[in-house]
Amino acid sequence: MRDFELTPRLHLLADWVPPGARLADVGTDHGYLPVWLRLHGRVVSAIACDLREGPLARARETGRTYGANGVDYRLGDGLTVVSPEEADTVVIAGMGGENIAAILAKAPWTADGTHTLLLQPQSRAETLRVFLAEHGYAIRREALVKDRGTLYPVMEAGGGEMSLTLGQLHGGAALLRDPLGERYIIEKIIRLQAAVAGINRSGGGQEKGDALREIITALLSLREEWRRANSQRD
């Protein structure tokens, strides 16, 4: 069997896919995740979806190159080409948090409590966390992975209820025990401080500046929580 290595980001997602799952991978791009999972017998079936024909063609080529069967390639917008009974595990990765939220909003069946969602936002993770909290989802676990020098959050979610603090919305719903958690929080604080400095230089946007400072304060508090949690562990 020909094989290939997954990136750290995709490897974490693969580790979280339940054995024997029926997978739908949205925004599959090169199809590496569903093809790898099928090659290793980790899933019984896989649907690789993409909005554009170019990435889907690349995914098909990946499947042909490595001889992966049991992968169904579908062209379409998000989960509109997948029916609820075809998949019990949905991966949406490699796009902005607002795009992931929009895909889920068009597929409310993903909050029915019988589907596992593995979500990996490239940006605007806080937008995704807000959406999940407000639309009947709960984040069951969250972890950080470092890939090519960048930290990415990965979330496992499903139907349920949750309430997140302002700090958790921006600094992670469940990252207090993550070894990369403090770095993630600090990076968020630095970016927000830069935004506040820009607002101050421009001399406008007082309300926006106050809102950003409130987030910074919440993140500083979350950082102290992380430190306490990890000092107790040590």
Side-chain angles (χ1 to χ4, degrees), residues 127-149:
T127 300
L128 177 57
R129 295 188 190 103
V130 168
F131 172 85
L132 294 172
E134 293 180 349
H135 291 83
Y137 299 87
I139 296 174
R140 299 168 184 162
R141 57 174 166 168
E142 186 170 358
L144 295 166
V145 60
K146 185 179 179 182
D147 197 330
R148 299 178 185 178

Side-chain angles (χ1 to χ4, degrees), residues 3-231:
D3 201 359
F4 58 93
E5 290 293 324
L6 295 174
T7 64
R9 182 176 60 85
L10 291 180
H11 203 286
L12 177 56
L13 285 164
D15 284 344
W16 282 15
V17 172
R22 290 173 293 120
L23 178 77
D25 181 33
V26 179
T28 195
D29 196 15
H30 285 79
Y32 292 136
L33 183 64
V35 168
W36 189 93
L37 289 168
R38 281 295 297 153
L39 287 175
H40 289 260
R42 293 282 303 278
V43 297
V44 297
S45 64
I47 302 170
C49 315
D50 209 284
L51 181 62
R52 295 171 296 151
E53 181 57 53
L56 200 63
R58 291 194 291 269
R60 289 193 188 96
E61 183 58 30
T62 299
R64 283 194 296 267
T65 299
Y66 293 98
N69 56 27
V71 181
D72 187 1
Y73 304 91
R74 298 185 187 177
L75 181 67
D77 183 7
L79 285 163
T80 60
V81 293
V82 179
S83 59
E85 64 275 7
E86 287 184 297
D88 52 41
T89 302
V90 175
V91 174
I92 312 177
M95 61 186 79
E98 67 278 17
N99 292 332
I100 296 176
I103 289 170
L104 294 176
K106 295 177 182 178
W109 53 265
T110 55
D112 64 6
T114 67
H115 292 83
T116 295
L117 309 179
L118 301 179
L119 312 173
Q120 187 276 298
Q122 298 285 86
S123 60
R124 300 293 297 274
E126 66 280 359
T127 300
L128 177 57
R129 295 188 190 103
V130 168
F131 172 85
L132 294 172
E134 293 180 349
H135 291 83
Y137 299 87
I139 296 174
R140 299 168 184 162
R141 57 174 166 168
E142 186 170 358
L144 295 166
V145 60
K146 185 179 179 182
D147 197 330
R148 299 178 185 178
T150 300
L151 289 184
Y152 297 103
V154 176
M155 310 169 194
E156 179 185 311
E161 295 182 4
M162 68 174 175
S163 177
L164 300 179
T165 66
L166 185 61
Q168 289 173 321
L169 287 173
H170 289 266
L175 295 176
L176 286 183
R177 293 289 182 174
D178 194 292
L180 296 171
E182 185 177 33
R183 174 180 162 180
Y184 183 68
I185 294 168
I186 290 172
E187 288 181 356
K188 295 281 186 180
I189 292 171
I190 291 172
R191 284 195 290 270
L192 289 168
Q193 287 175 331
V196 170
I199 290 171
N200 291 339
R201 284 193 300 270
S202 67
Q206 180 65 37
E207 288 187 8
K208 183 177 181 180
D210 288 345
L212 294 180
R213 280 186 281 269
E214 184 180 0
I215 297 169
I216 291 171
T217 299
L219 286 172
L220 288 169
S221 177
L222 188 66
R223 181 190 183 192
E224 289 307 310
E225 287 185 51
W226 184 94
R227 287 182 164 182
R228 287 194 297 271
N230 289 276
S231 65

